[in-house]
Amino acid sequence: MSAEPVGAPGTEAPDPLVVVRTRGYAVLLIMVALLGIPISAAAFGFLALVHELQSLTYEDLPRGLGFDGTPSWWPVPLLAVSGLLTGLAVRYLPGTGGHEPAEGFVNSGAPTAAQLPGIALAALASLGLGVVLGPEAPLIALGGGLAVYAARLLKPGIEPSAGAMVAAAGSFAAVSALLGSPLLGAFLLMEASGLAGMMLGLVLVPGLLASGIGSLIFIGLGSWTGLGTYSLTLPHVPHTPQPTFAEFGWALVLGAAAALVGTGIKRLSLSLRDRVSQRRVVATVVMGLTVGVLALLYAESTGRDASEVLFSGQDDLGSLLAEDATYTVTTLLVLIVCKSLAYSASLSAFRGGPIFPSMFLGAAGGLALSHLPGLNATSGFAMGIGAMCVAMLRLPMTSVLLATLLLGREGITVMPLVIVSVVVSYVLVLRLERPSKASTAPR
């Protein structure tokens, strides 16, 4: 999802050592620092708007219509509306609403200025009305696109390599606080871009600068507005003892299970996406209805809130761990099935990011297995997150960091288990992955 690291297609990459020593690179750092302020503020505003839309449509609107609370059937018509609005934005606005989340994180470059409204509207229509996706992919695209647009206004004729670095820095700033740490957001973008060696350092310096500034802006705006930072955090993490041999065995089981479930979700979403593309608007409405019905089925069969199936799961991770004792194994299994299918439908037609739903599903799976002997809840929670993230993202280092940094001090204890589960899941996913036509064609 991040911008091209350097240069443009068909152009020769510059020598990183030469670039870093130039006056232009110093000017670029100043430009990135200045652009990081409005871009991170815009990202904060986007997240605040998504949050307000969710509260308005799922809490204020039903109460305004005379309901005591939110009826369990409420998501069905609301997600049909989401499908209609998203389908229209994807079909008729420039840019097709941004990157298709069923493909995972792909280095597709920064969008043009003309594509930014369509990306924002498609994401708002999807995320604000309950689709099972996260905000990270639209933020990355919008941050990169806004940065390039602003840079070209400030410096017409900017070099392609400099423009690509500005775009990357804009993406860094936009997701600086979303994952709980500016370093984690930066690491996600670096691993997804496949940067290495000196080229990594060339893009990393302005990216980290923008990420640090963006994180400070998020903290400041969150404090000033009282809205918080919309950052991934867990308020309380139960203590976990040192890993046992039994838990290393469970790491193998969790890694294998996550690879199978993740591969199934991805294959189903890609299959549905091909059908959705044939009749974009109507099919997106159908996928929205599917998500709503799955949330209704979960609520009616378990007696719990339909919102646990909806949304990205970012805000529910903390309560899922803290209230683990209130979930039966059956409830967790029904939740996993319903949210997995809703996740596949959302990936196939809507616009958003794949990270947070994969984290939630992995966490729920780990907690379900923790009801069996030899696995405590915190370890299962962490291993499930790491294994499912790598199954969906194909980013092993980012998956380990997501699962461990989230737990704070306890994350250090469970890190060896998380690493094992992530490696098992990653290797198995690569073996299960269907080769592309290009790779199987005779040469």
Side-chain angles (χ1 to χ4, degrees):
M1 292 302 303
S2 57
E4 294 179 358
V6 288
T11 63
E12 184 179 353
D15 183 346
L17 288 175
V18 174
V19 173
V20 170
R21 292 169 179 154
T22 61
R23 179 177 177 273
Y25 190 76
V27 173
L28 177 67
L29 292 179
I30 296 173
M31 181 185 296
V32 164
L34 294 175
L35 291 178
I37 298 173
I39 289 173
S40 55
F44 182 91
F46 177 85
L47 292 173
L49 182 55
V50 168
H51 184 267
E52 290 303 313
L53 281 174
Q54 292 174 349
S55 298
L56 175 66
T57 53
Y58 280 91
E59 297 175 11
D60 299 339
L61 185 56
R63 290 196 184 100
L65 293 176
F67 295 102
D68 293 333
T70 305
S72 58
W73 53 262
W74 186 259
V76 179
L78 205 58
L79 281 156
V81 174
S82 174
L84 176 62
L85 296 176
T86 303
L88 291 172
V90 173
R91 174 68 177 83
Y92 294 106
L93 294 179
T96 64
H99 177 70
E100 297 184 5
E103 296 179 356
F105 278 90
V106 178
N107 186 6
S108 56
T112 65
Q115 295 171 341
L116 294 176
I119 293 173
L121 290 174
L124 288 173
S126 297
L127 305 176
L129 298 182
V131 167
V132 188
L133 292 171
E136 68 280 0
L139 283 178
I140 289 170
L142 292 171
L146 287 172
V148 172
Y149 178 67
R152 288 174 178 165
L153 289 178
L154 294 173
K155 189 177 180 181
I158 187 172
E159 293 292 331
S161 57
M165 284 188 283
V166 169
S171 296
F172 276 59
V175 296
S176 56
L178 185 64
L179 299 176
S181 165
L183 186 60
L184 187 50
F187 202 97
L188 168 69
L189 291 172
M190 289 186 293
E191 190 174 19
S193 299
L195 297 174
M198 285 300 298
M199 288 301 176
L200 171 60
L202 190 63
V203 181
L204 178 60
V205 174
L208 285 177
L209 177 61
S211 187
I213 291 172
S215 184
L216 291 174
I217 296 298
F218 266 70
I219 293 171
L221 288 175
S223 176
W224 179 57
T225 61
L227 296 175
T229 60
Y230 303 107
S231 178
L232 178 62
T233 57
L234 293 180
H236 174 68
V237 178
H239 174 70
T240 179
Q242 291 296 319
T244 64
F245 285 109
E247 287 179 329
F248 276 101
W250 280 117
L252 301 177
V253 173
L254 266 167
L260 294 173
V261 173
T263 299
I265 290 172
K266 195 168 185 66
R267 287 183 180 178
L268 178 58
S269 65
L270 289 172
S271 177
L272 291 172
R273 183 198 63 173
D274 294 338
R275 290 165 173 77
V276 168
S277 62
Q278 297 172 10
R279 299 192 65 184
R280 170 62 61 182
V281 178
V282 173
T284 307
V285 172
V286 172
M287 289 298 102
L289 287 170
T290 301
V291 175
V293 169
L294 287 166
L296 172 62
L297 289 175
Y298 172 74
E300 292 297 318
S301 62
T302 64
R304 300 190 69 94
D305 200 313
S307 65
E308 294 181 5
V309 170
L310 304 174
F311 310 114
S312 68
Q314 175 187 356
D315 295 333
D316 293 327
L317 274 173
S319 59
L320 183 67
L321 180 59
E323 301 171 12
D324 173 48
T326 67
Y327 289 88
T328 65
V329 175
T330 301
T331 298
L332 286 171
L333 292 177
V334 174
L335 174 59
I336 291 168
V337 171
C338 290
K339 198 169 184 84
S340 295
L341 293 174
Y343 186 26
S344 295
S346 300
L347 287 168
S348 70
F350 291 89
R351 293 298 182 262
I355 293 179
F356 293 117
S358 67
M359 294 180 69
F360 185 91
L361 284 172
L367 290 176
L369 288 178
S370 71
H371 287 261
L372 298 174
L375 179 64
N376 71 76
T378 302
S379 297
F381 182 87
M383 287 190 290
I385 289 176
M388 184 57 72
C389 279
V390 80
M392 297 304 300
L393 306 180
R394 313 299 201 266
L395 303 175
M397 289 297 295
T398 298
S399 299
V400 171
L401 292 176
L402 278 170
T404 54
L405 294 183
L406 177 63
L407 300 180
R409 186 181 305 172
E410 305 300 326
I412 303 298
T413 303
V414 301
M415 185 177 286
L417 299 172
V418 173
I419 292 173
V420 172
S421 67
V422 166
V423 170
V424 170
S425 179
Y426 183 59
V427 172
L428 188 53
V429 161
L430 294 182
R431 292 185 66 86
L432 292 172
E433 195 171 48
R434 291 173 178 170
S436 63
K437 294 180 180 179
S439 63
T440 58
R443 298 185 180 181

